[in-house]
Every structure is written in structure tokens, then in C-alpha cells.
Amino acid sequence: MTDAQATPPHPSMWHNRVTRWLAERRLYVQVLLDAGSWAIAIVFATVMRYDFNRLGHIDWGGVGGLIPVAAVTQVAGGLAFGLYLGRWRYGSFEEALALSRAVLLATGLLYAVNLVMGDLVPVTAVLSAGFVALVLMAASRYLWRLVLETRRRPDEATAKRVLVFGAGDGAAQIIGQMLRDRNSPYLPVALLDDDPRKRKLRISGVHVVGGRAHVQRAAEQFDADTMLIAIPSADADLVAELNDLALSVGLEVKVLPAVGELFNGVVGVSDIRDVTVADLLGRHEIETDVQSIAHYLTGKRVLVTGAGGSIGAELCRQIYRFAPDELIMLDRDESALHAVQLSIEGRALLDSPNLVLLDIRDQPRLVEIFEARRPHVVFHAAALKHLPLLEQHPGEAVKTNVWGSLAVLEAAAFSGVERFVNISTDKAADPISVLGFSKRIGERLTSWFAEHNEGVYLSVRFGNVLASRGSVLDTFTAQIAAGGPVTVTHPDVTRYFMTIPESVELVIQAGAIGRDGEALVLDMGRPVRILDVARRLAAQSERPIKIVYTGLRPGEKLHEQLLGTGEPDDRPSHSLISHVPVPSLEPSIIGELRPSAANADLISELERFCKVDDVGSALEH
């Protein structure tokens, strides 16, 4: 006899085999259980009717005759109502409704048969039997579901023990998903919620044990090592506060994505992820007028300059959703065009006519493209944007941000565009840097074209976007990965932040509601202290990270502003978009700029063109 023959199967193996066998034959087993429930119910109800002590008065032949009637009717009704066809999950509302209808049908027929046959059992016994049968059938389903969910429960030896913060719909969905997935890396052990009305709430056996003030106690009591923020609608302030609180007691922090990131609002275990800086700083609730956007984009030829950049690429992705007749993506970086085509079309053969490799400094070629493609809508996102670098090379800012923008404006006017949206920056509000000066001149040039051409020409101004290429957050992340130190210019410096998708969504919205010559300013919430961002990122590192201060660089402000001096905060169309007037600037004047001039002289010239009140004063100067 071999070892395999001599060793009996482990009890758990028999349990798994039996459970699997039952699961494969669930519907047949359920039919037998329901029929058996009726048999037990009829006998029990009849005996109970005779007070359990006058059993000799019972017509057992009649009882035996009624049992098959009830069983057959139950099965027939169940099939008719879909109860035994595997349509619904055990314990669902739909299954409970079908079960109740089948029991009601069987009880009614049983009552009629008993009446016709001359009261084989007391009438009250028939009615009681229906109720008892329903309870037994529901109980069998509950027990079956309990067994299945116990088998699917994550392995407590390997799964992370999770405190779930938030006892709303998001928590209910994610707890159910975690407990029904044997391979889930997370095991929910307790709920936390600040709402005192939920203190006695249980979700799938996981109960609320307190609010945010009880995080440490709950972590110790339930031996938790992770906290999941299960509130998809949570704003940045709440996520940041809970993140700091969890980290202070040694908990790893996970989060569910914001509502806008979820598909159809349904959450699953795969949606659980680490907290990002966007969660901590950039969750905004944006209401978009989709109809107005569709009106000016759907079926139109749309051209995006700087299509390979962080903003330009997201513009292309969001515009693509509105089914333009043609989406023309223009950039001088071939690798960036490759990436944006791949992200939109799932292919990147670079053989599509909607990709245009072109530098906006090349005016003749730019005019040629505009004349050939005749775009209806233009989003001008191409620009040099790194402030410290442009302070050292202001001539390059003139060539791209000023003359390049003018070339795009002239080409757009020549081809007769319907709507032109210039992407500006908060540094154009009371500018003190080369970047701010050049972008402010771009706003003023756009305003001049609005006055002298058909179509709508406007600018959109906003601050820093999270996760854009070369952003301060990228720098911090790289410095932390290298072991530090993290460099911060000043302990009190603040900046505005918004996620790329949110800012682009507002840009597109602004393009729909903006009026000729305006600059539309996006509300980016409260400014964020950069030191706080650095500390939060450093706190998530497994090793201590030092923070050092380097001092503000030339052209940098301690605090940015979205509106310039004297600019009104007028929001007639959208709660997050301000409309400000922009004085125009005659394009011929900027020909006086000399990119080869000494840096100080060129910067003074740029500043002069930003501050003149009108064309006349510029010429007189």
C-alpha cells in the first residue's frame, strides 16, 4: 500500500469537496430544501395547532397528501418566477421577492385544496405553514450564503487588517468586495465614522467603533496595520487630515479614488491605492456644462498646440471624448506626440495626419498648416514654462511665448477660426518674472486679436498643476527617492494647485463660456504651503528625509495670485471661473523686442509691454 493510499484525506479537504459539490448543484439542492421546508412546515403547523398533545386527532393521511401539493406548487411557482434559474445572488432583494411570491402561490393553492378536500388540516394550520415555510427557506438561503462568504473570506494570516474610515455607500461596496474575495490582500476589521448616528451600524458584520478621535484606540484594539479612506467624495482637506492622523499612529494609508475617477461610481478592491499628492491637495468638485462643451467641440476641427505637454495631452484626451470631426495635435517633440497618440488611440504608429510635428516659431509652416487644415477651434498650450530657466534665457521666452504665440494668433486669424483659447498662467497676474511678463503679453495680444477679428479670442489663467512634467512635486519625489534632502525655497512660500484633469476640464468649460478678449481665471481653491507638501511626502518615506531651504529665486513670488491688481472677481457663468478684462496690445509693437539684448535690458522691455495702458502710451515711450 502506498503512502497516498494509507493517508486519509484531511477533514478540510472533505469539507471543500462537499462544499464544491453542493455549489455546483446549488439549484437542485435548493429545490429539495424548499420542498423539505414545506414538509416540515405543514407537519409543524398542524402539530402546533393541536397544542402538541392531541396528536391522535390529526389526519396524518391528509397531512401527507398536502405535502406533495405544496412542494410541487412551490417548485412550479419558483420556476415561473425565476427562483430556480440562477438569476439572482443568494440573499438579494430580487430573490427574496421571488421566494415570497412562490410561497404565497403555494399557500393559496394549498388552502384551496384543503378546503375542497374537506379540511384535511385546520385552516389556520395551512396559513401558519406558509409563514413557517417562508422562514425555513429564507434561513436555508442565509446559511448557504454564510457558508460561501466564509469560504471566500480573505486569509487572516496574510491579509492586511484594515480600519475603514467612512460608513457610507463606498464603504459598503468595498467591504463587501473585500470579504467576498479569497485573494483579497485586505481584511476589514472595523469601521470609523464621525457621524454619531452610525455608531451602532454594521456592514457585513464589520461594525462602527468610533470616529476620527478613536483611530489609535481602534488600531490597537483590532491589531490593524492599514487605514482605508472609503469616501470617494472626500475633499483634499479631509484626506490630508486623515492621512496625517493615520501616519501618526503607524498606520499605512490607502484611499478610494475620487468620484470622477470611478467607472459608473462602482468601487472594487482593485481601486484601492496609495494616497497621492493629488488626493492631499487637489480634489475639487467640478460641475461641467457638457451641452455647451459639446456644442463647440462636437463635429468641429480642433487644433491643440503643445499637444505633447502635460496640459496639451490632457486637453487632447478630453476633447477626443466629445467626438470632434478632427483633432489636430501639434508639437515639436516627436516622442511627446507618440505618447499622446498612444494614450488616446491605443496605438502609436505616428502615421496619422492628425499628428503635426512643428515648432510654433516656424511662422511660414504654421500658416501653411492652418490654411490647409482650417481648424474651427484652437487651444494654444505650447509654451516655455520653467521660471528659473527663463530668467537666465529671456530671449527664448520672447521667441516662443511672445513671438510664437503671435504666430499662432496670426495663423488662426488668417484661417478664420471660430474660437481661440490661449493657455496662460497665474504668474501673468501682476507679473515680476520673465515667464509672467511673456504670458501677460500673450494675454494682451489675444485681446487685440479679439478686437480686430471675427470669432472669439480669449485666455485662460490658472496656477500649478499636480504631476505635470518638471513640477515641484516631481522634484520632491525624485529627491526623496534619492534619500534627500528635499529643497524648499522658503518656509512660507505658497502655491495654488489643481490636478491636470480638473484644470483641463475647466479650461474646456471656459472655452465654452468665455467672451471676446477676456482672461478667464480658474478658482484653484486655497493656496498650499509648499513646506507642508514636502513634509507630507517625506513622512511617507521609510527613512528620515531632511528638508533644507534654498531661498527664493529671481522672479519668484512668496505668494502667487490669480487676479492682478484691480482685476474684478466676476463669475457670471460658473462658480469656479472668474472673467477679467484684458487691455489689448498692438502686435507690431513687440517687434521692438530684441532677444539678443542683455538679459537685464530685455527683461525691462518685457516688463514695459506688460504695464502700458494702451497702444498710444507704448508708442510714445
Side-chain angles (χ1 to χ4, degrees), residues 474-486 541 543-546:
D474 280 350
T475 302
F476 287 169
T477 301
Q479 289 175 332
I480 291 170
V486 170
S541 175
R543 50 185 170 176
I545 300 294
K546 185 179 180 180

Side-chain angles (χ1 to χ4, degrees), residues 6 69 71 85 102 138 197 215 223-224 247 271 279 318 376 380 419 441 452 502 511 518 540-541 556 581:
V69 173
L85 300 179
R197 295 171 297 180
V215 170
D223 193 25
L247 290 176
D271 292 313
D279 295 318
Q318 292 202 26
H376 298 104
H380 175 42
R419 190 166 290 261
I441 292 173
H452 294 84
E502 288 165 340
E518 293 180 327
Q540 294 177 348
S541 175
E556 281 192 321

Side-chain angles (χ1 to χ4, degrees), residues 124-447:
T124 54
V126 174
L127 300 178
S128 298
F131 174 76
V132 174
L134 179 62
V135 171
L136 290 173
M137 287 183 240
S140 69
R141 284 165 170 78
Y142 173 77
L143 291 173
W144 191 305
R145 178 171 175 173
L146 190 62
V147 169
L148 292 178
E149 291 187 350
T150 301
R151 288 185 65 242
R152 295 170 182 165
R153 189 178 178 88
D155 186 352
E156 295 193 21
T158 58
K160 295 181 178 180
R161 299 176 65 81
V162 178
L163 298 178
V164 180
F165 191 94
D169 292 339
Q173 289 185 48
I174 198 63
I175 288 175
Q177 292 285 337
M178 287 190 285
L179 290 177
R180 290 195 297 271
D181 184 357
R182 180 69 178 173
N183 298 317
S184 171
Y186 308 107
L187 176 67
V189 293
L191 274 161
L192 296 165
D193 198 289
D194 289 331
D195 188 347
R197 295 171 297 180
K198 295 181 178 179
R199 291 300 159 84
K200 298 185 182 296
L201 179 66
R202 287 176 179 261
I203 298 177
S204 298
V206 182
H207 59 283
V208 176
V209 298
R212 76 184 70 184
H214 305 98
V215 170
Q216 182 171 1
R217 186 188 70 186
E220 295 171 353
Q221 179 181 350
F222 294 96
D223 193 25
D225 48 32
T226 303
M227 184 168 81
L228 169 64
I229 304 173
I231 311 175
S233 60
D235 60 21
D237 290 339
L238 178 59
V239 174
E241 182 179 349
L242 293 175
N243 178 73
D244 293 346
L245 181 59
L247 290 176
S248 69
V249 298
L251 292 175
E252 182 182 2
V253 186
K254 301 290 183 179
V255 69
L256 291 181
V259 174
E261 301 176 44
L262 297 173
F263 180 73
N264 291 334
V266 178
V267 297
V269 175
S270 61
D271 292 313
I272 297 174
R273 57 169 171 75
D274 293 331
V275 176
T276 65
V277 177
D279 295 318
L280 299 173
L281 303 179
R283 287 188 174 206
H284 296 258
E285 194 70 28
I286 297 177
E287 295 180 3
T288 303
D289 183 358
V290 176
Q291 292 303 317
S292 67
I293 291 176
H295 174 71
Y296 88 100
L297 293 179
T298 301
K300 303 288 186 176
R301 292 186 297 277
V302 183
L303 184 146
V304 179
T305 71
S310 302
I311 297 298
E314 182 63 23
L315 268 169
C316 292
R317 283 188 285 268
Q318 292 202 26
I319 292 168
Y320 186 79
R321 292 170 18 214
F322 292 99
D325 178 57
E326 185 179 17
L327 176 57
I328 306 161
M329 297 177 282
L330 185 152
D331 202 290
R332 68 179 182 179
D333 185 338
E334 58 182 351
S335 297
L337 287 175
H338 177 278
V340 71
Q341 184 186 36
L342 182 63
S343 69
I344 292 175
E345 301 176 8
R347 57 186 290 277
L349 300 179
L350 299 178
D351 57 354
S352 172
N354 67 333
L355 300 180
V356 177
L357 187 62
L358 173 66
D359 192 326
I360 62 171
R361 296 180 179 185
D362 186 350
Q363 185 181 28
R365 174 70 175 144
L366 197 61
V367 172
E368 179 184 330
I369 291 296
F370 271 74
E371 184 178 10
R373 310 300 282 272
R374 296 283 175 178
H376 298 104
V377 182
V378 173
F379 289 91
H380 175 42
L384 297 177
K385 67 175 185 177
H386 289 288
L387 185 150
L389 203 56
L390 294 183
E391 290 295 312
Q392 301 177 57
H393 306 281
E396 296 303 308
V398 170
K399 293 175 185 177
T400 295
N401 294 357
V402 179
W403 288 350
S405 294
L406 177 58
V408 177
L409 282 162
E410 289 177 337
F414 177 78
S415 63
V417 300
E418 297 175 359
R419 190 166 290 261
F420 185 99
V421 181
N422 170 50
I423 307 300
S424 187
T425 170
D426 59 350
K427 292 165 182 62
D430 292 341
I432 65 169
S433 64
V434 171
L435 173 59
F437 295 145
S438 64
K439 297 301 281 185
R440 178 59 174 172
I441 292 173
E443 290 183 358
R444 298 192 65 179
L445 291 172
T446 302
S447 180

Side-chain angles (χ1 to χ4, degrees), residues 89-119:
R89 187 168 167 266
Y90 267 135
S92 66
F93 175 80
E94 292 84 0
E95 186 188 47
L97 180 61
L99 178 63
S100 300
R101 294 169 67 186
V103 170
L104 185 62
L105 176 65
T107 302
L109 184 60
L110 197 66
Y111 179 87
V113 170
N114 184 61
L115 190 64
V116 170
M117 298 300 294
D119 291 336

